[in-house]
Amino acid sequence: MVEMIFDTSKAKAALYAIGEYLEFIGLDIPVFVSGTLVDQSGRTLSGQTGEAFYASIRHSKPMYVGLNCALGASHMKPL
């Protein structure tokens, strides 16, 4: 699980490394990703929206992508 990602470039680097390693050892297991929205505009630290974050990592075909809010649950809303 790639978890608590504030910066999309770090998520992409982690997903690349995981993909390379799993291919090297010949294992096919699901990968989960959890990103973090850091302000009330609903953006990541690098300024991406939740939709843009997903578009940036979907090539890795994660089984699950979740988002959490650094400001607390009361600031989350459905997309």
Side-chain angles (χ1 to χ4, degrees):
M1 176 177 218
V2 178
E3 185 176 18
M4 297 297 291
I5 296 298
F6 288 90
D7 184 345
T8 307
S9 63
K10 288 179 176 51
K12 291 178 76 161
L15 290 166
Y16 176 79
I18 291 167
E20 289 290 305
Y21 178 72
L22 292 176
E23 185 177 325
F24 177 74
I25 63 171
L27 190 59
D28 183 22
I29 58 173
V31 176
F32 297 169
V33 179
S34 176
T36 300
L37 304 178
V38 296
D39 62 26
Q40 289 186 1
S41 71
R43 296 181 180 271
T44 65
L45 188 61
S46 56
Q48 287 186 304
T49 63
E51 293 90 346
F53 176 75
Y54 176 71
S56 297
I57 62 162
R58 70 177 174 207
H59 68 279
S60 65
K61 299 180 180 156
M63 178 180 212
Y64 161 90
V65 177
L67 294 172
N68 64 67
C69 180
L71 302 173
S74 63
H75 292 282
M76 295 294 285
K77 63 180 180 178
L79 295 176

Coordinates of all heavy atoms in Angstrom, one line a residue:
M1 N 0.8 -1.2 0.0 CA 0.0 0.0 0.0 C 0.9 1.2 0.0 O 1.8 1.4 0.8 CB -0.9 0.0 1.2 CG -1.7 1.3 1.3 SD -2.9 1.2 2.7 CE -4.3 2.0 2.0
V2 N 0.6 2.1 -0.9 CA 1.3 3.4 -1.0 C 0.3 4.3 -0.2 O -0.8 4.6 -0.7 CB 1.5 3.9 -2.5 CG1 2.1 5.2 -2.5 CG2 2.3 2.8 -3.2
E3 N 0.8 4.8 0.9 CA -0.2 5.5 1.8 C 0.3 6.9 2.2 O 1.4 7.2 2.3 CB -0.3 4.6 3.1 CG -1.3 5.1 4.1 CD -1.4 4.2 5.3 OE1 -0.6 3.4 5.6 OE2 -2.5 4.4 6.0
M4 N -0.7 7.7 2.5 CA -0.6 9.1 3.0 C 0.3 9.9 2.1 O 1.2 10.6 2.5 CB 0.0 9.1 4.4 CG -0.9 8.5 5.4 SD -2.4 9.3 5.7 CE -1.9 10.8 6.4
I5 N 0.0 9.9 0.8 CA 0.8 10.6 -0.2 C 0.3 12.0 -0.3 O -0.8 12.3 -0.6 CB 0.6 9.9 -1.6 CG1 1.2 8.5 -1.5 CG2 1.3 10.7 -2.7 CD1 2.7 8.4 -1.2
F6 N 1.2 13.0 -0.1 CA 1.0 14.4 -0.2 C 1.4 14.9 -1.6 O 0.9 15.8 -2.1 CB 1.7 15.2 0.8 CG 1.2 15.0 2.2 CD1 1.7 14.1 3.1 CD2 0.3 15.9 2.7 CE1 1.2 13.9 4.3 CE2 -0.2 15.8 4.0 CZ 0.2 14.8 4.8
D7 N 2.4 14.2 -2.1 CA 3.0 14.7 -3.4 C 2.9 13.6 -4.4 O 3.4 12.5 -4.3 CB 4.5 15.0 -3.1 CG 5.2 15.6 -4.3 OD1 4.7 15.5 -5.4 OD2 6.3 16.1 -4.1
T8 N 2.3 13.9 -5.5 CA 2.0 12.9 -6.6 C 3.3 12.3 -7.2 O 3.3 11.1 -7.5 CB 1.2 13.5 -7.7 OG1 0.0 14.2 -7.1 CG2 0.7 12.5 -8.7
S9 N 4.3 13.1 -7.3 CA 5.6 12.5 -7.8 C 6.1 11.4 -6.9 O 6.7 10.4 -7.4 CB 6.6 13.6 -8.0 OG 7.0 14.2 -6.8
K10 N 6.0 11.5 -5.6 CA 6.4 10.5 -4.7 C 5.5 9.2 -4.9 O 6.0 8.1 -4.8 CB 6.4 11.0 -3.3 CG 7.5 11.9 -3.0 CD 7.5 12.4 -1.6 CE 8.6 13.3 -1.2 NZ 8.9 14.5 -2.1
A11 N 4.3 9.4 -5.1 CA 3.4 8.3 -5.3 C 3.8 7.6 -6.6 O 3.8 6.3 -6.7 CB 1.9 8.7 -5.4
K12 N 4.0 8.3 -7.7 CA 4.4 7.7 -8.9 C 5.7 7.0 -8.8 O 5.9 5.9 -9.4 CB 4.5 8.8 -10.0 CG 3.1 9.4 -10.4 CD 3.2 10.4 -11.4 CE 3.4 9.8 -12.8 NZ 3.1 10.6 -13.9
A13 N 6.7 7.5 -8.1 CA 8.0 6.9 -7.9 C 7.8 5.5 -7.1 O 8.3 4.5 -7.5 CB 8.9 7.8 -7.1
A14 N 7.0 5.6 -6.1 CA 6.7 4.4 -5.3 C 6.0 3.3 -6.1 O 6.4 2.1 -6.0 CB 5.9 4.7 -4.0
L15 N 5.0 3.7 -6.9 CA 4.3 2.8 -7.7 C 5.2 2.2 -8.8 O 5.1 1.0 -9.1 CB 3.1 3.4 -8.3 CG 2.0 3.8 -7.3 CD1 0.9 4.7 -7.9 CD2 1.3 2.5 -6.8
Y16 N 6.1 3.0 -9.3 CA 7.0 2.5 -10.3 C 7.9 1.4 -9.7 O 8.1 0.3 -10.2 CB 7.9 3.6 -10.9 CG 8.9 3.1 -11.9 CD1 8.6 2.8 -13.2 CD2 10.2 2.9 -11.4 CE1 9.6 2.3 -14.0 CE2 11.2 2.5 -12.3 CZ 10.9 2.1 -13.6 OH 11.8 1.7 -14.5
A17 N 8.5 1.7 -8.5 CA 9.4 0.8 -7.8 C 8.6 -0.5 -7.5 O 9.2 -1.6 -7.6 CB 9.9 1.4 -6.6
I18 N 7.4 -0.4 -7.0 CA 6.6 -1.6 -6.6 C 6.4 -2.4 -7.9 O 6.6 -3.6 -7.9 CB 5.3 -1.2 -6.0 CG1 5.6 -0.6 -4.6 CG2 4.4 -2.4 -5.9 CD1 4.4 0.1 -4.0
G19 N 6.0 -1.8 -9.0 CA 5.8 -2.5 -10.2 C 7.0 -3.2 -10.7 O 6.9 -4.4 -11.2
E20 N 8.1 -2.5 -10.7 CA 9.4 -3.1 -11.1 C 9.7 -4.3 -10.2 O 10.1 -5.4 -10.8 CB 10.5 -2.1 -11.1 CG 10.4 -1.1 -12.1 CD 10.7 -1.6 -13.5 OE1 11.8 -2.2 -13.7 OE2 9.8 -1.4 -14.4
Y21 N 9.6 -4.2 -8.9 CA 9.9 -5.3 -8.0 C 9.0 -6.5 -8.2 O 9.5 -7.6 -8.3 CB 9.9 -4.8 -6.6 CG 10.2 -5.9 -5.6 CD1 11.5 -6.4 -5.5 CD2 9.2 -6.5 -4.8 CE1 11.7 -7.4 -4.6 CE2 9.4 -7.5 -4.0 CZ 10.7 -8.0 -3.8 OH 11.0 -9.0 -3.0
L22 N 7.7 -6.2 -8.3 CA 6.7 -7.3 -8.5 C 7.0 -8.0 -9.8 O 6.9 -9.3 -9.9 CB 5.3 -6.8 -8.4 CG 4.9 -6.3 -7.1 CD1 3.4 -5.7 -7.1 CD2 4.9 -7.4 -6.0
E23 N 7.3 -7.3 -10.9 CA 7.7 -7.9 -12.1 C 8.9 -8.8 -12.0 O 9.0 -9.9 -12.5 CB 7.8 -6.9 -13.2 CG 8.1 -7.4 -14.6 CD 8.2 -6.4 -15.7 OE1 7.5 -5.3 -15.6 OE2 9.0 -6.6 -16.6
F24 N 9.9 -8.3 -11.3 CA 11.2 -9.0 -11.1 C 11.0 -10.3 -10.4 O 11.6 -11.3 -10.8 CB 12.2 -8.1 -10.3 CG 13.5 -8.7 -10.0 CD1 14.4 -8.9 -11.0 CD2 13.8 -9.2 -8.8 CE1 15.7 -9.5 -10.8 CE2 15.0 -9.8 -8.5 CZ 15.9 -9.9 -9.5
I25 N 10.2 -10.3 -9.4 CA 10.0 -11.6 -8.6 C 8.8 -12.4 -9.2 O 8.6 -13.5 -8.7 CB 9.8 -11.3 -7.1 CG1 8.5 -10.5 -6.9 CG2 11.0 -10.6 -6.5 CD1 8.1 -10.4 -5.4
G26 N 8.1 -11.9 -10.2 CA 7.1 -12.6 -10.8 C 5.8 -12.8 -10.0 O 5.1 -13.8 -10.1
L27 N 5.5 -11.8 -9.2 CA 4.3 -11.8 -8.4 C 3.3 -10.8 -8.9 O 3.6 -9.7 -9.2 CB 4.7 -11.5 -6.9 CG 3.7 -11.7 -5.8 CD1 3.2 -13.1 -5.8 CD2 4.3 -11.3 -4.5
D28 N 2.0 -11.2 -8.9 CA 1.0 -10.3 -9.3 C 0.0 -10.2 -8.1 O -0.8 -11.1 -7.8 CB 0.2 -10.9 -10.5 CG -0.9 -10.0 -11.0 OD1 -0.8 -8.8 -10.7 OD2 -1.8 -10.5 -11.7
I29 N 0.2 -9.1 -7.4 CA -0.7 -8.8 -6.2 C -1.3 -7.4 -6.4 O -0.7 -6.6 -7.0 CB 0.0 -8.9 -4.9 CG1 1.2 -8.0 -4.8 CG2 0.5 -10.4 -4.6 CD1 1.9 -7.9 -3.5
P30 N -2.4 -7.2 -5.7 CA -3.1 -5.8 -5.8 C -2.3 -4.8 -5.1 O -1.6 -5.0 -4.1 CB -4.4 -6.0 -5.2 CG -4.3 -7.2 -4.3 CD -3.2 -8.1 -4.9
V31 N -2.3 -3.6 -5.6 CA -1.7 -2.4 -5.0 C -2.8 -1.4 -4.6 O -3.7 -1.2 -5.4 CB -0.7 -1.8 -6.0 CG1 -0.1 -0.5 -5.5 CG2 0.4 -2.8 -6.4
F32 N -2.7 -0.9 -3.4 CA -3.6 0.1 -2.9 C -2.9 1.4 -2.8 O -1.7 1.5 -2.5 CB -4.1 -0.3 -1.6 CG -4.9 -1.5 -1.5 CD1 -5.2 -2.1 -0.3 CD2 -5.3 -2.2 -2.6 CE1 -6.0 -3.2 -0.2 CE2 -6.1 -3.4 -2.5 CZ -6.4 -3.9 -1.3
V33 N -3.6 2.5 -3.0 CA -3.0 3.9 -2.9 C -3.9 4.7 -2.1 O -5.2 4.7 -2.3 CB -2.8 4.5 -4.3 CG1 -2.3 5.9 -4.2 CG2 -2.0 3.7 -5.2
S34 N -3.3 5.5 -1.2 CA -4.1 6.4 -0.4 C -3.4 7.8 -0.5 O -2.3 7.9 -0.1 CB -4.2 6.0 1.1 OG -4.8 6.9 1.9
G35 N -4.1 8.8 -1.0 CA -3.6 10.1 -1.1 C -4.2 11.0 -0.1 O -5.2 10.7 0.6
T36 N -3.6 12.2 0.1 CA -4.0 13.1 1.1 C -4.3 14.5 0.5 O -3.5 15.0 -0.3 CB -2.9 13.3 2.2 OG1 -2.7 12.1 2.8 CG2 -3.3 14.3 3.2
L37 N -5.5 15.0 0.8 CA -5.8 16.4 0.4 C -5.5 17.3 1.5 O -5.8 17.0 2.7 CB -7.3 16.4 0.1 CG -7.8 15.4 -1.0 CD1 -9.3 15.6 -1.2 CD2 -7.1 15.6 -2.3
V38 N -4.8 18.4 1.2 CA -4.2 19.2 2.3 C -4.8 20.5 2.6 O -4.5 21.1 3.6 CB -2.7 19.4 2.1 CG1 -1.9 18.1 2.1 CG2 -2.4 20.2 0.8
D39 N -5.8 20.9 1.8 CA -6.5 22.2 2.1 C -7.9 22.1 1.7 O -8.4 21.1 1.1 CB -5.7 23.3 1.4 CG -5.7 23.3 -0.1 OD1 -6.6 22.7 -0.7 OD2 -4.8 23.9 -0.7
Q40 N -8.6 23.2 2.0 CA -10.1 23.2 1.8 C -10.5 23.2 0.3 O -11.6 23.0 0.0 CB -10.7 24.3 2.6 CG -10.7 24.1 4.0 CD -11.5 25.1 4.8 OE1 -12.0 26.0 4.3 NE2 -11.5 25.0 6.1
S41 N -9.5 23.5 -0.6 CA -9.8 23.5 -2.0 C -9.9 22.0 -2.5 O -10.2 21.8 -3.7 CB -8.8 24.3 -2.8 OG -7.5 23.6 -2.8
G42 N -9.5 21.1 -1.7 CA -9.5 19.7 -2.1 C -8.3 19.3 -3.0 O -8.5 18.5 -3.9
R43 N -7.2 19.9 -2.7 CA -6.0 19.6 -3.6 C -4.9 18.9 -2.7 O -4.8 19.1 -1.5 CB -5.5 20.9 -4.2 CG -6.5 21.5 -5.1 CD -6.0 22.8 -5.7 NE -7.0 23.3 -6.7 CZ -7.0 23.0 -7.9 NH1 -6.2 22.2 -8.5 NH2 -8.0 23.6 -8.7
T44 N -4.0 18.3 -3.5 CA -2.8 17.7 -2.8 C -1.8 18.8 -2.6 O -2.0 19.9 -3.0 CB -2.2 16.6 -3.7 OG1 -1.7 17.2 -4.9 CG2 -3.2 15.5 -4.1
L45 N -0.7 18.4 -1.9 CA 0.3 19.4 -1.6 C 0.9 19.9 -2.9 O 1.3 21.1 -3.0 CB 1.4 18.7 -0.8 CG 2.5 19.7 -0.3 CD1 1.9 20.7 0.6 CD2 3.6 18.9 0.5
S46 N 1.0 19.1 -4.0 CA 1.5 19.5 -5.3 C 0.5 20.3 -6.1 O 0.7 20.7 -7.2 CB 2.0 18.4 -6.1 OG 1.0 17.4 -6.2
G47 N -0.8 20.5 -5.5 CA -1.8 21.4 -6.2 C -2.8 20.7 -7.0 O -3.6 21.3 -7.7
Q48 N -2.7 19.3 -7.1 CA -3.6 18.6 -7.9 C -5.0 18.3 -7.2 O -5.0 18.1 -6.0 CB -3.0 17.2 -8.3 CG -1.9 17.3 -9.3 CD -1.5 15.9 -9.7 OE1 -1.1 15.1 -8.9 NE2 -1.5 15.7 -11.0
T49 N -6.0 18.3 -8.0 CA -7.3 17.9 -7.5 C -7.3 16.3 -7.3 O -6.4 15.7 -7.8 CB -8.4 18.2 -8.4 OG1 -8.2 17.5 -9.7 CG2 -8.5 19.7 -8.7
G50 N -8.3 15.8 -6.6 CA -8.4 14.4 -6.4 C -8.5 13.7 -7.8 O -7.8 12.6 -8.0
E51 N -9.2 14.2 -8.7 CA -9.3 13.7 -10.1 C -8.0 13.6 -10.8 O -7.6 12.7 -11.4 CB -10.4 14.4 -10.9 CG -11.8 14.3 -10.4 CD -12.2 15.4 -9.4 OE1 -11.3 16.1 -8.9 OE2 -13.4 15.5 -9.1
A52 N -7.2 14.7 -10.7 CA -5.9 14.8 -11.3 C -4.9 13.8 -10.7 O -4.1 13.2 -11.4 CB -5.4 16.2 -11.3
F53 N -5.0 13.7 -9.4 CA -4.2 12.7 -8.7 C -4.4 11.3 -9.2 O -3.5 10.6 -9.6 CB -4.5 12.7 -7.2 CG -3.7 11.7 -6.4 CD1 -2.3 11.9 -6.1 CD2 -4.3 10.6 -5.9 CE1 -1.7 10.9 -5.4 CE2 -3.7 9.6 -5.2 CZ -2.3 9.8 -4.9
Y54 N -5.7 10.9 -9.4 CA -6.0 9.6 -9.9 C -5.5 9.5 -11.3 O -5.0 8.5 -11.7 CB -7.5 9.4 -9.8 CG -7.9 8.1 -10.5 CD1 -7.6 6.9 -9.9 CD2 -8.5 8.0 -11.7 CE1 -7.9 5.6 -10.5 CE2 -8.8 6.8 -12.3 CZ -8.5 5.6 -11.7 OH -8.8 4.4 -12.3
A55 N -5.7 10.5 -12.1 CA -5.3 10.4 -13.5 C -3.8 10.2 -13.6 O -3.3 9.6 -14.5 CB -5.7 11.7 -14.3
S56 N -3.0 10.8 -12.7 CA -1.6 10.7 -12.7 C -1.1 9.3 -12.3 O 0.0 8.9 -12.6 CB -1.0 11.7 -11.7 OG -1.3 13.0 -12.1
I57 N -1.9 8.5 -11.5 CA -1.4 7.2 -11.1 C -2.2 6.0 -11.6 O -1.8 4.9 -11.4 CB -1.5 7.1 -9.5 CG1 -2.9 7.3 -9.0 CG2 -0.6 8.2 -8.9 CD1 -3.2 6.8 -7.6
R58 N -3.2 6.3 -12.4 CA -4.1 5.2 -12.9 C -3.3 4.2 -13.8 O -3.7 3.0 -13.9 CB -5.3 5.7 -13.5 CG -5.1 6.3 -14.8 CD -6.5 6.7 -15.4 NE -6.2 7.5 -16.7 CZ -7.0 8.4 -17.1 NH1 -8.1 8.6 -16.5 NH2 -6.7 9.0 -18.2
H59 N -2.2 4.6 -14.4 CA -1.5 3.7 -15.3 C -0.9 2.5 -14.5 O -0.7 1.5 -15.1 CB -0.3 4.5 -15.9 CG 0.7 4.9 -14.9 ND1 0.6 6.0 -14.1 CD2 1.9 4.3 -14.6 CE1 1.6 6.1 -13.3 NE2 2.5 5.1 -13.6
S60 N -0.8 2.6 -13.2 CA -0.3 1.5 -12.4 C -1.4 0.5 -12.0 O -1.1 -0.5 -11.4 CB 0.3 2.1 -11.1 OG -0.7 2.7 -10.3
K61 N -2.6 0.8 -12.4 CA -3.8 -0.1 -12.2 C -3.9 -0.5 -10.8 O -4.0 -1.7 -10.5 CB -3.6 -1.3 -13.2 CG -3.6 -0.9 -14.6 CD -3.5 -2.1 -15.5 CE -3.5 -1.6 -16.9 NZ -2.9 -2.5 -17.9
P62 N -4.0 0.5 -9.9 CA -4.3 0.1 -8.5 C -5.6 -0.5 -8.3 O -6.6 -0.1 -9.0 CB -4.2 1.4 -7.7 CG -4.5 2.5 -8.8 CD -4.0 1.9 -10.1
M63 N -5.7 -1.5 -7.4 CA -7.0 -2.1 -7.1 C -7.9 -1.1 -6.3 O -9.1 -1.1 -6.4 CB -6.8 -3.3 -6.3 CG -8.1 -4.0 -5.9 SD -7.7 -5.5 -4.9 CE -9.1 -6.5 -5.4
Y64 N -7.3 -0.2 -5.6 CA -8.0 0.7 -4.7 C -7.3 2.0 -4.7 O -6.1 2.1 -4.6 CB -8.1 0.1 -3.3 CG -8.4 1.1 -2.2 CD1 -9.7 1.4 -1.9 CD2 -7.4 1.7 -1.5 CE1 -10.0 2.2 -0.8 CE2 -7.7 2.6 -0.5 CZ -9.0 2.9 -0.2 OH -9.3 3.8 0.8
V65 N -8.0 3.1 -4.8 CA -7.5 4.5 -4.6 C -8.4 5.2 -3.6 O -9.6 5.3 -3.8 CB -7.4 5.3 -5.9 CG1 -6.9 6.7 -5.6 CG2 -6.5 4.6 -6.9
G66 N -7.8 5.6 -2.5 CA -8.6 6.3 -1.5 C -8.0 7.7 -1.2 O -6.8 8.0 -1.5
L67 N -8.8 8.6 -0.7 CA -8.3 9.9 -0.4 C -8.7 10.2 1.1 O -9.8 9.9 1.5 CB -8.9 11.0 -1.3 CG -8.5 10.9 -2.8 CD1 -9.4 11.9 -3.6 CD2 -7.1 11.3 -2.9
N68 N -7.8 10.9 1.8 CA -8.2 11.4 3.1 C -7.9 12.9 3.1 O -7.2 13.4 2.3 CB -7.4 10.6 4.2 CG -5.9 10.8 4.1 OD1 -5.4 11.9 4.3 ND2 -5.2 9.8 3.7
C69 N -8.4 13.5 4.1 CA -8.2 15.0 4.3 C -7.4 15.3 5.5 O -7.8 14.9 6.6 CB -9.6 15.6 4.3 SG -9.6 17.4 4.5
A70 N -6.4 16.0 5.3 CA -5.5 16.4 6.4 C -6.2 17.4 7.4 O -5.8 17.5 8.5 CB -4.2 17.1 5.9
L71 N -7.3 18.0 7.0 CA -8.1 18.9 7.8 C -9.1 18.2 8.7 O -9.8 18.8 9.5 CB -8.7 20.0 6.9 CG -7.8 20.8 6.1 CD1 -8.5 21.7 5.2 CD2 -6.8 21.6 7.0
G72 N -9.4 16.9 8.4 CA -10.4 16.2 9.2 C -11.6 15.8 8.3 O -11.8 16.4 7.3
A73 N -12.3 14.8 8.8 CA -13.5 14.3 8.1 C -14.6 15.3 7.8 O -15.2 15.2 6.8 CB -14.1 13.1 8.8
S74 N -14.7 16.3 8.6 CA -15.8 17.3 8.4 C -15.6 18.1 7.2 O -16.5 18.7 6.7 CB -15.9 18.2 9.6 OG -14.7 18.9 9.8
H75 N -14.4 18.1 6.6 CA -14.1 18.9 5.4 C -14.2 18.1 4.1 O -14.0 18.6 3.1 CB -12.7 19.5 5.5 CG -12.7 20.6 6.6 ND1 -13.2 21.9 6.4 CD2 -12.2 20.6 7.8 CE1 -13.0 22.6 7.5 NE2 -12.4 21.8 8.4
M76 N -14.5 16.8 4.3 CA -14.6 15.9 3.1 C -16.0 16.1 2.5 O -17.0 16.3 3.2 CB -14.3 14.5 3.4 CG -12.9 14.2 3.8 SD -11.7 14.4 2.5 CE -11.9 13.0 1.5
K77 N -16.1 15.9 1.2 CA -17.4 15.9 0.5 C -17.3 15.0 -0.7 O -16.2 14.8 -1.2 CB -17.8 17.3 0.1 CG -16.9 18.0 -0.9 CD -17.4 19.4 -1.3 CE -16.4 19.9 -2.3 NZ -16.8 21.2 -2.7
P78 N -18.4 14.5 -1.1 CA -18.4 13.6 -2.3 C -18.0 14.4 -3.5 O -18.3 15.5 -3.7 CB -19.9 13.1 -2.4 CG -20.5 13.4 -1.1 CD -19.8 14.6 -0.5
L79 N -17.3 13.7 -4.4 CA -16.8 14.3 -5.7 C -17.8 14.1 -6.7 O -18.5 13.2 -6.8 CB -15.5 13.7 -6.1 CG -14.3 14.0 -5.2 CD1 -13.1 13.2 -5.7 CD2 -14.0 15.5 -5.1

